[in-house]
Short mmCIF file of all heavy atoms in Angstrom, two decimals:
data_model
loop_
_atom_site.label_atom_id
_atom_site.label_comp_id
_atom_site.label_asym_id
_atom_site.label_seq_id
_atom_site.Cartn_x
_atom_site.Cartn_y
_atom_site.Cartn_z
N VAL A 83 -5.93 -20.30 19.56
CA VAL A 83 -5.47 -20.17 20.95
C VAL A 83 -6.65 -19.73 21.83
O VAL A 83 -6.93 -20.31 22.89
CB VAL A 83 -4.32 -19.15 21.06
CG1 VAL A 83 -4.01 -18.82 22.51
CG2 VAL A 83 -3.07 -19.69 20.35
N ARG A 84 -7.34 -18.72 21.36
CA ARG A 84 -8.46 -18.14 22.11
C ARG A 84 -9.57 -19.16 22.31
O ARG A 84 -10.12 -19.30 23.41
CB ARG A 84 -8.97 -16.94 21.30
CG ARG A 84 -9.96 -16.07 22.00
CD ARG A 84 -10.24 -14.83 21.15
NE ARG A 84 -9.34 -13.74 21.43
CZ ARG A 84 -8.57 -13.11 20.54
NH1 ARG A 84 -8.57 -13.49 19.26
NH2 ARG A 84 -7.79 -12.12 20.91
N GLU A 85 -9.91 -19.88 21.24
CA GLU A 85 -10.98 -20.86 21.33
C GLU A 85 -10.68 -21.91 22.40
O GLU A 85 -11.55 -22.27 23.20
CB GLU A 85 -11.15 -21.55 19.96
CG GLU A 85 -12.35 -22.46 19.89
CD GLU A 85 -12.51 -23.09 18.50
OE1 GLU A 85 -12.04 -22.48 17.51
OE2 GLU A 85 -13.08 -24.18 18.43
N GLU A 86 -9.44 -22.39 22.44
CA GLU A 86 -9.09 -23.43 23.40
C GLU A 86 -8.94 -22.87 24.82
O GLU A 86 -9.26 -23.55 25.79
CB GLU A 86 -7.82 -24.18 22.97
CG GLU A 86 -7.97 -24.91 21.63
CD GLU A 86 -9.09 -25.97 21.62
OE1 GLU A 86 -9.45 -26.48 22.69
OE2 GLU A 86 -9.61 -26.26 20.52
N GLN A 87 -8.47 -21.63 24.94
CA GLN A 87 -8.42 -21.00 26.27
C GLN A 87 -9.84 -20.86 26.81
O GLN A 87 -10.12 -21.20 27.96
CB GLN A 87 -7.75 -19.63 26.20
CG GLN A 87 -6.25 -19.67 25.92
CD GLN A 87 -5.45 -20.29 27.06
OE1 GLN A 87 -5.37 -19.74 28.14
NE2 GLN A 87 -4.88 -21.45 26.81
N ASN A 88 -10.74 -20.36 25.96
CA ASN A 88 -12.13 -20.16 26.39
C ASN A 88 -12.78 -21.49 26.77
O ASN A 88 -13.48 -21.58 27.77
CB ASN A 88 -12.94 -19.47 25.30
CG ASN A 88 -12.48 -18.03 25.05
OD1 ASN A 88 -11.71 -17.48 25.84
ND2 ASN A 88 -12.94 -17.44 23.97
N ARG A 89 -12.52 -22.50 25.94
CA ARG A 89 -13.11 -23.82 26.20
C ARG A 89 -12.70 -24.34 27.58
O ARG A 89 -13.48 -24.96 28.28
CB ARG A 89 -12.66 -24.81 25.12
CG ARG A 89 -13.50 -26.08 25.05
CD ARG A 89 -12.86 -27.19 24.22
NE ARG A 89 -12.43 -26.80 22.89
CZ ARG A 89 -13.27 -26.57 21.87
NH1 ARG A 89 -14.57 -26.69 22.04
NH2 ARG A 89 -12.80 -26.21 20.70
N SER A 90 -11.47 -24.05 27.97
CA SER A 90 -10.97 -24.56 29.25
C SER A 90 -11.47 -23.74 30.43
O SER A 90 -11.19 -24.08 31.57
CB SER A 90 -9.44 -24.56 29.23
OG SER A 90 -8.96 -23.23 29.44
N GLY A 91 -12.16 -22.64 30.14
CA GLY A 91 -12.72 -21.83 31.21
C GLY A 91 -11.93 -20.57 31.54
O GLY A 91 -12.29 -19.84 32.46
N ALA A 92 -10.86 -20.31 30.81
CA ALA A 92 -10.10 -19.08 31.05
C ALA A 92 -10.88 -17.89 30.49
O ALA A 92 -11.67 -18.04 29.56
CB ALA A 92 -8.72 -19.17 30.40
N ILE A 93 -10.64 -16.72 31.07
CA ILE A 93 -11.42 -15.53 30.72
C ILE A 93 -10.48 -14.46 30.17
O ILE A 93 -9.47 -14.12 30.81
CB ILE A 93 -12.15 -14.98 31.97
CG1 ILE A 93 -13.04 -16.08 32.56
CG2 ILE A 93 -13.00 -13.77 31.62
CD1 ILE A 93 -13.44 -15.80 33.99
N GLU A 94 -10.86 -13.91 29.01
CA GLU A 94 -9.94 -12.98 28.34
C GLU A 94 -10.04 -11.56 28.90
O GLU A 94 -11.14 -11.04 29.15
CB GLU A 94 -10.23 -12.95 26.83
CG GLU A 94 -9.18 -12.12 26.08
CD GLU A 94 -9.23 -12.30 24.57
OE1 GLU A 94 -10.15 -12.98 24.06
OE2 GLU A 94 -8.34 -11.74 23.89
N ILE A 95 -8.88 -10.95 29.09
CA ILE A 95 -8.80 -9.53 29.45
C ILE A 95 -7.73 -8.91 28.55
O ILE A 95 -7.14 -9.60 27.72
CB ILE A 95 -8.39 -9.33 30.95
CG1 ILE A 95 -7.03 -9.97 31.23
CG2 ILE A 95 -9.45 -9.92 31.86
CD1 ILE A 95 -6.49 -9.70 32.64
N LEU A 96 -7.49 -7.63 28.71
CA LEU A 96 -6.37 -7.01 27.99
C LEU A 96 -5.70 -6.03 28.93
O LEU A 96 -6.32 -5.06 29.39
CB LEU A 96 -6.87 -6.30 26.72
CG LEU A 96 -5.77 -5.68 25.85
CD1 LEU A 96 -4.75 -6.71 25.39
CD2 LEU A 96 -6.39 -4.99 24.62
N MET A 97 -4.46 -6.31 29.23
CA MET A 97 -3.72 -5.46 30.16
C MET A 97 -2.83 -4.50 29.37
O MET A 97 -2.58 -4.73 28.19
CB MET A 97 -2.87 -6.35 31.09
CG MET A 97 -3.74 -7.19 32.02
SD MET A 97 -2.80 -8.25 33.14
CE MET A 97 -2.77 -9.79 32.22
N PRO A 98 -2.36 -3.44 30.01
CA PRO A 98 -1.52 -2.49 29.28
C PRO A 98 -0.16 -3.09 28.94
O PRO A 98 0.35 -3.94 29.67
CB PRO A 98 -1.36 -1.32 30.26
CG PRO A 98 -1.60 -1.91 31.60
CD PRO A 98 -2.57 -3.03 31.41
N THR A 99 0.43 -2.64 27.82
CA THR A 99 1.79 -3.08 27.49
C THR A 99 2.79 -2.30 28.34
O THR A 99 3.85 -2.81 28.67
CB THR A 99 2.12 -2.83 26.01
OG1 THR A 99 1.84 -1.47 25.70
CG2 THR A 99 1.30 -3.72 25.11
N ILE A 100 2.46 -1.07 28.67
CA ILE A 100 3.34 -0.24 29.50
C ILE A 100 2.95 -0.42 30.97
O ILE A 100 1.79 -0.30 31.32
CB ILE A 100 3.23 1.24 29.12
CG1 ILE A 100 3.58 1.45 27.63
CG2 ILE A 100 4.11 2.11 30.02
CD1 ILE A 100 5.02 1.19 27.28
N GLN A 101 3.93 -0.76 31.79
CA GLN A 101 3.65 -1.06 33.19
C GLN A 101 4.47 -0.15 34.11
O GLN A 101 5.50 0.37 33.71
CB GLN A 101 4.02 -2.53 33.48
CG GLN A 101 3.33 -3.52 32.53
CD GLN A 101 3.76 -4.97 32.80
OE1 GLN A 101 4.51 -5.25 33.73
NE2 GLN A 101 3.27 -5.87 31.96
N SER A 102 3.97 -0.03 35.32
CA SER A 102 4.67 0.81 36.29
C SER A 102 5.79 0.01 36.98
O SER A 102 5.58 -1.13 37.41
CB SER A 102 3.66 1.29 37.34
OG SER A 102 4.28 1.39 38.59
N ALA A 103 6.95 0.62 37.09
CA ALA A 103 8.08 -0.05 37.75
C ALA A 103 7.76 -0.34 39.21
O ALA A 103 8.25 -1.32 39.78
CB ALA A 103 9.34 0.81 37.65
N ASP A 104 6.90 0.49 39.82
CA ASP A 104 6.60 0.31 41.24
C ASP A 104 5.97 -1.06 41.52
O ASP A 104 6.24 -1.67 42.56
CB ASP A 104 5.67 1.43 41.73
CG ASP A 104 6.46 2.73 41.92
OD1 ASP A 104 7.70 2.64 42.04
OD2 ASP A 104 5.83 3.81 41.92
N LEU A 105 5.12 -1.52 40.59
CA LEU A 105 4.51 -2.84 40.79
C LEU A 105 5.59 -3.92 40.84
O LEU A 105 5.51 -4.85 41.62
CB LEU A 105 3.59 -3.16 39.60
CG LEU A 105 2.10 -2.90 39.73
CD1 LEU A 105 1.40 -3.45 38.50
CD2 LEU A 105 1.55 -3.55 40.99
N TRP A 106 6.58 -3.75 39.97
CA TRP A 106 7.67 -4.74 39.92
C TRP A 106 8.58 -4.59 41.13
O TRP A 106 9.27 -5.54 41.50
CB TRP A 106 8.47 -4.57 38.62
CG TRP A 106 7.73 -5.08 37.41
CD1 TRP A 106 6.60 -4.56 36.87
CD2 TRP A 106 8.06 -6.23 36.62
NE1 TRP A 106 6.21 -5.30 35.78
CE2 TRP A 106 7.10 -6.33 35.59
CE3 TRP A 106 9.09 -7.17 36.66
CZ2 TRP A 106 7.12 -7.33 34.63
CZ3 TRP A 106 9.12 -8.17 35.69
CH2 TRP A 106 8.14 -8.24 34.69
N ARG A 107 8.60 -3.44 41.73
CA ARG A 107 9.37 -3.29 42.98
C ARG A 107 8.66 -4.04 44.10
O ARG A 107 9.29 -4.62 44.97
CB ARG A 107 9.54 -1.81 43.33
CG ARG A 107 10.45 -1.08 42.33
CD ARG A 107 10.89 0.29 42.83
NE ARG A 107 11.82 0.89 41.89
CZ ARG A 107 11.50 1.87 41.03
NH1 ARG A 107 10.28 2.40 41.01
NH2 ARG A 107 12.40 2.34 40.19
N GLU A 108 7.32 -4.06 44.03
CA GLU A 108 6.56 -4.80 45.05
C GLU A 108 6.89 -6.28 45.03
O GLU A 108 6.98 -6.93 46.07
CB GLU A 108 5.06 -4.66 44.81
CG GLU A 108 4.43 -3.42 45.41
CD GLU A 108 2.92 -3.51 45.30
OE1 GLU A 108 2.33 -4.51 45.74
OE2 GLU A 108 2.32 -2.56 44.73
N SER A 109 7.01 -6.83 43.84
CA SER A 109 7.29 -8.27 43.75
C SER A 109 8.78 -8.55 43.91
O SER A 109 9.18 -9.70 44.08
CB SER A 109 6.83 -8.82 42.39
OG SER A 109 7.69 -8.37 41.36
N GLY A 110 9.58 -7.51 43.83
CA GLY A 110 11.03 -7.69 43.97
C GLY A 110 11.72 -8.02 42.65
O GLY A 110 12.90 -8.34 42.63
N ARG A 111 10.95 -7.95 41.55
CA ARG A 111 11.56 -8.37 40.28
C ARG A 111 12.17 -7.22 39.48
O ARG A 111 12.80 -7.47 38.45
CB ARG A 111 10.50 -9.06 39.40
CG ARG A 111 10.33 -10.52 39.74
CD ARG A 111 9.96 -11.34 38.51
NE ARG A 111 8.64 -11.05 37.96
CZ ARG A 111 8.12 -11.70 36.92
NH1 ARG A 111 8.80 -12.67 36.32
NH2 ARG A 111 6.92 -11.40 36.47
N TYR A 112 11.93 -5.97 39.90
CA TYR A 112 12.37 -4.86 39.04
C TYR A 112 13.88 -4.88 38.83
O TYR A 112 14.36 -4.78 37.70
CB TYR A 112 11.92 -3.51 39.61
CG TYR A 112 12.21 -2.37 38.65
CD1 TYR A 112 11.60 -2.32 37.41
CD2 TYR A 112 13.11 -1.36 38.99
CE1 TYR A 112 11.87 -1.29 36.51
CE2 TYR A 112 13.39 -0.33 38.10
CZ TYR A 112 12.76 -0.30 36.87
OH TYR A 112 13.03 0.71 35.98
N GLU A 113 14.62 -5.03 39.92
CA GLU A 113 16.07 -5.08 39.78
C GLU A 113 16.50 -6.43 39.22
O GLU A 113 17.42 -6.51 38.41
CB GLU A 113 16.76 -4.83 41.14
CG GLU A 113 16.39 -3.52 41.82
CD GLU A 113 16.59 -2.28 40.95
OE1 GLU A 113 17.49 -2.32 40.07
OE2 GLU A 113 15.85 -1.29 41.13
N ALA A 114 15.81 -7.48 39.65
CA ALA A 114 16.25 -8.84 39.32
C ALA A 114 16.08 -9.18 37.84
O ALA A 114 16.81 -10.02 37.33
CB ALA A 114 15.47 -9.85 40.17
N TYR A 115 15.14 -8.55 37.15
CA TYR A 115 14.78 -9.05 35.81
C TYR A 115 15.92 -8.93 34.80
O TYR A 115 16.03 -9.72 33.88
CB TYR A 115 13.52 -8.35 35.29
CG TYR A 115 12.85 -9.18 34.21
CD1 TYR A 115 11.87 -10.13 34.54
CD2 TYR A 115 13.20 -9.04 32.87
CE1 TYR A 115 11.28 -10.91 33.57
CE2 TYR A 115 12.60 -9.82 31.89
CZ TYR A 115 11.64 -10.76 32.25
OH TYR A 115 11.06 -11.53 31.28
#
Side-chain angles (χ1 to χ4, degrees):
V83 170
R84 190 173 271 124
E85 187 178 334
E86 298 300 335
Q87 290 293 294
N88 293 348
R89 196 194 308 287
S90 77
I93 303 162
E94 187 167 6
I95 59 174
L96 183 58
M97 293 180 266
T99 52
I100 302 293
Q101 305 178 4
S102 146
D104 284 340
L105 263 187
W106 286 67
R107 292 193 176 104
E108 275 189 54
S109 72
R111 276 212 293 183
Y112 187 63
E113 303 306 331
Y115 201 90

